């Protein structure tokens, strides 16, 4: 799942009632051509807000299992990392201090930074405060889980792990850790705010 999707998930979990749904609701009110003199537009807007906040897509067992496996894998970081590792020989030629392990550590550090930038940007686009008021409301689990997921999945991509045995262990570890993160997330992540 992308960091942007994780940020969306966090906003829906923590601030659903505060989200600005006017971009969804108001065009529908205009389309209905309602006369504000004969109806209470605020009542209709309030009723539509609950409908607009609902997801029309219901989960099925197969998609839930797959979502659990890939939920915390930060596709933005993985995509950038794969691109950087494919260009590692050019990077080391231009910058001799760049190493495969240095690149790996840099992307481990970059992953939570990317997540927070995306999360803050999404909060601002919804006219919410820069960050949740209370530090306990910050997306700590998603920040931690996406960083761990990246660090394990990145090992399954060359050039750090070499040899067939190492590749098998890295691939199995990536699947195992992703599954465990999904299961642990169901337990440790706070419930959706109402």
């Amino acid at each position: 799942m992308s960091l942007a999707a994780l940020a969306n998930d966090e906003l829906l979990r923590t601030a659903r009632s505060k989200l600005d749904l006017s971009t969804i609701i108001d065009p529908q009110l205009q389309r209905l051509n309602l006369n504000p003199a004969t109806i209470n537009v605020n009542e209709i807007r309030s009723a539509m807000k609950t409908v607009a906040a609902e997801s029309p897509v219901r989960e099925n067992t197969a998609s839930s299992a797959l979502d659990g496996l890939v939920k915390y894998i930060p596709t933005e970081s993985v995509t950038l990392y794969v691109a950087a590792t494919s260009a590692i020989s050019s990077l080391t030629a231009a910058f001799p201090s760049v190493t495969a392990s240095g690149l790996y550590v840099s992307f481990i550090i970059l992953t939570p930074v990317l997540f927070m930038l995306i999360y803050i940007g999404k909060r601002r686009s919804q006219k919410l405060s820069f960050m949740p008021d209370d530090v306990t409301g910050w997306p700590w689990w998603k920040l931690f889980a996406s960083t761990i997921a990246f660090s394990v999945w990145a090992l399954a991509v060359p050039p750090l792990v070499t040899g067939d045995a190492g590749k098998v262990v890295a691939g199995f570890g990536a699947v195992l850790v992703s599954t465990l993160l999904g299961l642990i997330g169901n337990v440790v992540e706070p419930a959706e705010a109402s």
Side-chain angles (χ1 to χ4, degrees), residues 53-76:
E54 289 294 321
S55 173
V57 179
R58 298 292 173 231
E59 294 292 324
N60 63 38
T61 307
S63 69
S64 295
L66 185 57
D67 288 346
L69 180 62
V70 299
K71 181 173 185 176
Y72 297 107
I73 300 169
T75 56
E76 294 88 346

Side-chain angles (χ1 to χ4, degrees), residues 1-17:
M1 183 180 280
S2 72
L3 294 173
L6 281 175
N8 286 343
D9 184 46
E10 185 66 15
L11 283 176
L12 289 173
R13 188 184 67 77
T14 59
R16 183 183 297 264
S17 63

Side-chain angles (χ1 to χ4, degrees), residues 48-166:
M48 287 181 71
K49 186 173 184 177
T50 58
V51 174
E54 289 294 321
S55 173
V57 179
R58 298 292 173 231
E59 294 292 324
N60 63 38
T61 307
S63 69
S64 295
L66 185 57
D67 288 346
L69 180 62
V70 299
K71 181 173 185 176
Y72 297 107
I73 300 169
T75 56
E76 294 88 346
S77 296
V78 171
T79 303
L80 291 171
Y81 180 71
V82 168
T85 57
S86 68
I88 192 75
S89 59
S90 298
L91 287 170
T92 54
F95 307 100
S97 61
V98 173
T99 63
S101 57
L103 194 64
Y104 172 73
V105 170
S106 298
F107 274 88
I108 290 174
I109 294 166
L110 181 64
T111 297
V113 171
L114 284 174
F115 176 77
M116 289 307 292
L117 289 172
I118 292 167
Y119 178 67
I120 291 167
K122 287 187 176 288
R123 286 187 63 86
R124 287 194 56 188
S125 73
Q126 284 293 321
K127 299 177 180 93
L128 297 171
S129 62
F130 177 71
M131 287 298 288
D133 298 331
D134 184 10
V135 78
T136 60
W138 287 23
W140 295 114
W141 171 249
K142 286 183 174 71
L143 193 69
F144 172 76
S146 63
T147 304
I148 295 300
F150 171 79
S151 65
V152 174
W153 275 91
L155 289 175
V157 176
L160 283 180
V161 176
T162 57
D164 291 338

Side-chain angles (χ1 to χ4, degrees), residues 29 32-41 44:
L29 289 175
L32 293 174
N33 217 9
L34 298 174
N35 182 355
T38 60
I39 60 158
N40 186 336
V41 175
I44 293 176

Side-chain angles (χ1 to χ4, degrees), residues 13-28:
R13 188 184 67 77
T14 59
R16 183 183 297 264
S17 63
K18 298 174 189 169
L19 296 179
D20 178 18
L21 299 175
S22 62
T23 58
I24 298 168
I25 296 169
D26 290 345
Q28 296 304 317

